Structures are given as C-alpha cells and as structure tokens.
Amino acid sequence: MSLSGILAANGKTALLAHKLWEENINNKGGLLGRPVQLVCKDDQTNPKLVPGIYQSLLAEEKTDLIMGGYGDNSIKPAMPLVIEHKRFFVGLMGLAVNQEFNYENYFAMIPTGPNPGTALTEGFFSVAAKQNPKPVTVAILSADAPFSKSPVQGAKENCSKNGMRVVFEETYPLSANDFSPFIRKVQQSRADILFMCSYVSDSVGLIRAIHKEGLQARLVGGAMIGPQNGSVKLELGPLLNGLVNYEYWLPVEKLMFPGVKEMIEKYQARAQQEGTDPLGYYVAPMAYAQLQIVEQAIIATQSLDDNTLAAYTRDAVFHTVVGDIQFGKGGGWTEPRVLTVQYQNLTDNSIAQFKDSKTQVVLMPENLSSGNLIV
C-alpha cells in the first residue's frame, strides 16, 4: 500500500478501512477458526518497489493470501509475479489494470464496470451535453502517467458520442508545480469544456491555477483524483464550487447499504488519530468491501486455496457495504456505478459542510440525482 509519496492520502485511508475490517472479523472469531492478521508494507508510491515487496510476502513471510494495494501504481507492477504464482488477487481501484494481462484470477474493487475508461468519463460528458446551447469544443489536460491513458481515451470516445470535438490536448509532468502556463494555453484554445485527469497534489494545483487565471469555460473537471479526498476538500473549500467530477460513493439515501453507515462512523471517529482523510467517502467503503469479498469467498469455500477462491469469486454475488457486487470479464464489475457530482454552495473550508448532499450534488446517474447542474 502507498503509505508515503503522492498517493499516501488514499493509501492511508484504505489501510484504516482494512484495519476496521480486521478488527470486526476477529471479534467474530476470525476465518476458518483462525485470527486474521493483515501485513502491510509501504511501497512509497514507487512502482519499482512493488515486485520486491510481494516477493518478500510470498517467499519470506509466507502469507496465506496477498491483496492488491491502492491504484495502478501498486497493482500493475505486482501482476507478473501474481500471474507467475497463480494467486487470487483482489485490487483496490486500479483502472483497467487487467486489460493488458487478462488474468482470470484478478478482481477489481472499482465501480467502473467492463469498460472502465468510458464509464469513468461518461457522466461528465452526458451532463455537458444537456446544457443549452450544447458545448462543442473540448480541451484535455492530463498527467503524464499510465493511469491517465484509459480515462483520456474514454473521454475522447464520449466526446465523439456526444457530438463534441477535442481542440486542445496536452500532458504535464508529475513533477510540475506551476499549472498556470497550462491553464493559459487552455484559455487560448477557447474550448467550451476543460476535461482533466490528475493526481491528488496536481488536482489542487490545477484548481488554484484555474481560479488565478480566471479560466472561462462552461464545464470543468472530469477524472480528477483529489477532490474526493476530505483533506483536499478541507484545503480548497469554495474553490471547488462549480467543479464537476466523478465519485464512487457518497452518503446519499440510495447508497446507504447495510453496514456502511456504521463503518463510516467508526472510520471517521479514528481518522484524525490515524492521520487519514477525515471523511473517507472515496476510498474507505471500497477498501472495506475489498476485504468483504475475500471474507465471503473464504467462508463459502472453507478454503485458502487461490484457485478455489478465484473460481468462486468469478460466479458469486457478494453482499458488501457498497451494495451487491458481481464480477464479469476481466475481473471488473458487471455493471458500472460511477457517480458524477458537482460541488455547490460551499461557503468556507469547514469539513462539516461536505457531509451535506446539497454541497456534493449527484447529477448522474439520474436515478440517484439529488439536484441540478449550476453553470
């Protein structure tokens, strides 16, 4: 898990959710009559360290099972070793990791369904297309990193589907800390929409630059990792107003599945002490559900055999804090459940206001919609 480096904020949140699951399952007597012990090592958000960590877990510590960490950076570098050892492997997030490997024993805890790139960005462009007059030109600005490729390709497909065209496209290095030059280029393109794909720290820099440069665009956001994080929400506050971005879970009525309210309450009670996201909405429910998948597979099969667990997981329906989940081809969810939200009515930098659905308005899917787009 990335407990330091640029993805530490989300990695630490995932680890706390995992700890809550571990405590809960051990209070019930463990699994197969044994207590559960989670062993977590920091990959420092450095993919080069990942293979060695898993090699150590397998060869030296001889763990019964191995888990996928948070995101592409922690999951993709592990895949060759996982495949070599034919291990059962459930990853957390990790957009489109298995498209390259097509490994049958891999399962992704991410609600993007069988076509992750298009599912992640579909809501953003659907919302855009409903504006009157309809926007027609799009600028794409993304981090120069592997995780950007699938969302950017998906964005282009959704542009075409909605009768829009890309008039500007550029990547920036992950080392960038001044985003004003990139935003000025977007301004010069006169694009109606700015679609961005960014990591946590660059998302903050990009949003600040947008306000500093006074960007004129009818819709901004898309596939930014960062605004979902409570610490980023706390830092930016009203600067988020108007931004349209994806989320995976929010405490809206139709997503309050059994156990999730209690889990979030326990998480938030310990977040400050553990130095994690004060809200936990983005990562914690998915991370907790990740281990519920493993738990339910073990209980159903009464086994720790990797092939047995994987065979069960391919066909089963799992009951988790994020709802019922079934896996399909490539290990993705059979159906996408990505939320598209807009930040509205934020007046200060307090964390309490982000617990109100009026400030994180669900625009898509329509059956979960809690409000209207503010342009």
Side-chain angles (χ1 to χ4, degrees):
M1 190 74 74
S2 299
L3 304 179
S4 58
I6 61 174
L7 289 180
N10 289 343
K12 289 179 179 178
T13 296
L15 180 59
L16 176 52
H18 286 168
K19 287 179 181 178
L20 293 175
W21 173 86
E22 179 186 31
E23 292 165 8
N24 182 55
I25 203 67
N26 283 332
N27 285 338
K28 296 177 180 178
L31 291 171
L32 304 184
R34 294 165 51 188
V36 173
Q37 179 188 5
L38 295 180
V39 179
C40 182
K41 297 184 182 295
D42 181 13
D43 63 32
Q44 303 169 38
T45 320
N46 182 349
K48 294 180 180 178
L49 299 181
V50 171
I53 288 173
Y54 279 103
Q55 184 64 47
S56 172
L57 290 170
L58 288 168
E60 297 170 22
E61 306 209 25
K62 300 187 185 302
T63 54
D64 293 299
L65 297 170
I66 53 174
M67 300 295 302
Y70 167 80
D72 296 49
N73 252 35
S74 292
I75 300 172
K76 191 172 182 179
M79 289 295 283
L81 191 67
V82 170
I83 294 168
E84 178 187 346
H85 289 268
K86 300 179 180 178
R87 303 306 294 252
F88 170 58
F89 202 55
V90 183
L92 177 59
M93 312 296 189
L95 193 70
V97 163
N98 204 27
Q99 286 185 349
E100 176 183 339
F101 302 101
N102 196 29
Y103 178 54
E104 65 176 0
N105 290 356
Y106 172 77
F107 306 91
M109 185 50 57
I110 184 170
T112 48
N115 300 300
T118 52
L120 189 72
T121 58
E122 182 178 15
F124 178 80
F125 288 99
S126 295
V127 167
K130 292 180 180 179
Q131 293 187 57
N132 187 17
K134 189 175 101 173
V136 293
T137 56
V138 179
I140 296 178
L141 186 57
S142 61
D144 186 10
F147 86 96
S148 294
K149 294 178 181 178
S150 181
V152 167
Q153 182 57 41
K156 291 177 180 178
E157 293 174 16
N158 283 312
C159 277
S160 177
K161 175 183 174 182
N162 288 285
M164 303 174 193
R165 69 181 191 277
V166 177
V167 296
F168 173 87
E169 182 177 1
E170 188 162 341
T171 61
Y172 58 84
L174 284 174
S175 59
N177 50 37
D178 180 7
F179 295 93
S180 286
F182 300 101
I183 299 302
R184 286 196 289 268
K185 288 183 182 179
V186 172
Q187 186 83 291
Q188 291 165 8
S189 76
R190 305 174 77 98
D192 297 325
I193 295 172
L194 170 57
F195 172 86
M196 293 178 286
C197 186
S198 51
Y199 263 150
V200 179
S201 59
D202 25 318
S203 291
V204 173
L206 284 163
I207 291 168
R208 291 194 180 281
I210 285 167
H211 284 270
K212 177 184 175 184
E213 300 299 327
L215 176 68
Q216 299 297 308
R218 292 176 55 193
L219 202 65
V220 171
M224 306 179 79
I225 301 173
Q228 306 90 345
N229 187 282
S231 299
V232 173
K233 288 178 167 75
L234 192 63
E235 180 178 353
L236 293 177
L239 293 183
L240 289 168
N241 279 327
L243 186 81
V244 174
N245 203 45
Y246 79 93
E247 288 270 6
Y248 290 150
W249 184 87
L250 285 173
V252 296
E253 183 180 357
K254 291 184 179 179
L255 296 181
M256 298 304 289
F257 299 105
V260 72
K261 181 176 182 289
E262 294 78 9
M263 188 277 294
I264 285 291
E265 288 175 349
K266 288 180 181 179
Y267 170 90
Q268 291 179 352
R270 286 170 55 174
Q272 183 175 0
Q273 173 190 339
E274 302 270 352
T276 64
D277 176 351
L279 293 172
Y281 296 158
Y282 178 55
V283 174
M286 292 294 163
Y288 194 91
Q290 177 191 18
L291 287 176
Q292 286 184 305
I293 299 296
V294 177
E295 168 195 343
Q296 291 173 32
I298 291 171
I299 291 172
T301 62
Q302 289 293 293
S303 174
L304 293 174
D305 177 74
D306 289 273
N307 287 325
T308 301
L309 293 170
Y312 176 82
T313 304
R314 282 194 289 273
D315 296 326
V317 176
F318 295 89
H319 310 293
T320 78
V321 293
V322 293
D324 287 356
I325 296 168
Q326 190 166 16
F327 296 99
K329 184 179 179 182
W333 292 18
T334 53
E335 297 179 357
R337 299 183 206 167
V338 179
L339 309 180
T340 301
V341 306
Q342 185 180 45
Y343 300 98
Q344 301 177 4
N345 306 309
L346 295 165
T347 57
D348 55 43
N349 291 70
S350 66
I351 202 66
Q353 64 184 333
F354 288 101
K355 296 182 179 181
D356 189 335
S357 61
K358 293 179 181 178
T359 62
Q360 295 177 100
V361 174
V362 178
L363 303 174
M364 299 288 289
E366 292 181 337
N367 66 334
L368 294 178
S369 179
S370 59
N372 298 313
L373 175 75
I374 293 179
V375 181

